[in-house]
Amino acid sequence: TKRELKMDEYLRCVKKSPLFYGMNEDELYTFLKCADARQAVYEEGEYLLRMGESLDRVMLLVKGKAFVVQETFWGGREELYPISEGEVFGELYACARTPVLPVGVIAGSECQVLFLNYQRMITFCSLACDFHTRFIQNLLRLVAEESVKREEKLNHVSRKTTREKILSYLSKEAVTRGMSSFEIPYNRRELADYLCVDRSAMSSELGKLKKEGVLDFKRNRFTLFDR
C-alpha cells in the first residue's frame, strides 16, 4: 500500500541531500514551499518520468531505488545507471531546457519522491533568503560535478579496445587518489556497464593484464605496477 511520508520524515530524509547542504530544518521547510515541492509515491516498476515528456522539474529520490533507462524505437529497454536515495535527477536537462527527456526513470522498488519546480528553485523570492543563495551554489556544484563525471566516462569509453578502456579508468583512479593500490566503487558487472564493454571480455582482459604483471586485483581492490 502506498504511504506518503509525513513532513518531518521528509525533512529528515531530504536534508541529507547535497542540494540542501548548509540549511537547517526551518530553512529547508521554507525553501520547499518556495520551490512548490510535491510528494509522490511509486510502486516497483512504475515510471517516475517517461522518455519524451517535457521536464520542468527536478526529482529528488527520498526513499527507495530507481533506474535511468533508455528505450528503443522497437520497444526495448536498457538500464543506464541507478539513482540512490538522496540523489537528484533532472537538473541537467531542466537547466539546459532540453525540450523532451531523452531517457526515462523507473522505480526499482517502492519509491518516495520529491519534485521541485525548476524555475521557482532558481528564482529568488521577495525575501531574497540567504539559504536560497546557498541552494543555488549547491545546485551549481552538483551540475558541475555531474558534467565532470560524464566527461571522465566519455574519455574512458571512447578508447578503441576493452584493454584501453580498463587501463584508462584504472590509471585515472590511481592518479586521482595518488596511490597505486585502491578500491573502486563497482563490482565486475557494474564496471563493465560503466565502461560499456562485455563483462566476459572485460574479465578475460583483466586476467591477461594480471598475467602480464601490469596489475593485480582481488574483488574491487586493484594494484597497478610500473611497466
Side-chain angles (χ1 to χ4, degrees):
T1 304
K2 295 182 178 182
R3 182 186 73 88
E4 287 194 355
L5 296 176
K6 294 179 181 178
M7 184 51 69
D8 59 339
E9 292 179 290
Y10 254 101
L11 290 176
R12 283 198 300 271
C13 296
V14 169
K15 193 177 178 183
K16 299 174 185 176
S17 170
L19 258 185
F20 306 111
Y21 177 76
M23 289 190 195
N24 61 41
E25 285 197 4
D26 289 338
E27 292 171 333
L28 180 54
Y29 180 75
T30 302
F31 176 80
L32 292 179
K33 289 175 64 179
C34 286
D36 191 28
R38 303 289 178 89
Q39 303 178 21
V41 184
Y42 296 88
E43 299 281 3
E44 181 177 354
E46 279 192 280
Y47 275 91
L48 284 62
L49 294 166
R50 287 189 177 275
M51 181 177 172
E53 68 177 281
S54 59
L55 188 67
D56 59 357
R57 58 199 186 279
V58 171
M59 185 196 90
L60 172 62
L61 184 61
V62 179
K63 276 191 173 297
K65 60 181 180 180
F67 297 94
V68 177
V69 297
Q70 179 77 62
E71 296 169 336
T72 69
F73 175 81
W74 298 276
R77 190 173 72 197
E78 176 189 2
E79 289 182 7
L80 298 182
Y81 57 89
I83 303 175
S84 302
E85 289 183 3
E87 291 187 341
V88 176
F89 175 83
E91 74 281 12
L92 292 179
Y93 299 112
C95 187
R97 295 186 178 179
T98 306
V100 295
L101 193 60
V103 294
V105 180
I106 194 167
S109 67
E110 182 179 296
C111 290
Q112 302 274 352
V113 176
L114 203 62
F115 288 110
L116 307 173
N117 182 292
Y118 179 73
Q119 280 303 128
R120 293 181 64 167
M121 280 168 50
I122 63 172
T123 303
F124 286 100
C125 62
S126 57
L127 299 176
C129 311
D130 288 341
F131 59 80
H132 206 139
T133 301
R134 288 199 298 275
F135 171 82
I136 298 292
Q137 293 170 341
N138 293 340
L139 177 63
L140 287 173
R141 186 177 67 251
L142 285 180
V143 169
E145 288 174 352
E146 186 64 28
S147 179
V148 169
K149 288 178 184 177
R150 292 188 180 207
E151 185 176 334
E152 288 178 348
K153 180 174 180 176
L154 180 61
N155 180 48
H156 304 321
V157 302
S158 62
R159 305 302 171 112
K160 291 183 178 179
T161 67
T162 297
R163 171 178 285 232
E164 289 173 343
K165 292 177 183 181
I166 293 170
L167 292 178
S168 174
Y169 171 72
L170 293 177
S171 173
K172 175 261 174 187
E173 289 295 307
V175 171
T176 300
R177 298 162 190 251
M179 57 184 68
S180 60
S181 185
F182 51 87
E183 290 187 0
I184 66 172
Y186 305 118
N187 59 33
R188 291 293 181 271
R189 180 186 63 78
E190 292 167 340
L191 180 59
D193 289 344
Y194 175 77
L195 295 176
C196 301
V197 297
D198 178 76
R199 179 181 175 181
S200 59
M202 184 192 73
S203 296
S204 175
E205 202 61 58
L206 282 172
K208 292 177 184 177
L209 288 166
K210 182 174 182 178
K211 191 173 182 180
E212 293 168 17
V214 177
L215 53 78
D216 195 8
F217 57 85
K218 184 175 182 180
R219 294 191 177 89
N220 65 337
R221 172 164 286 277
F222 286 80
T223 301
L224 306 187
F225 303 119
D226 292 335
R227 300 191 193 184

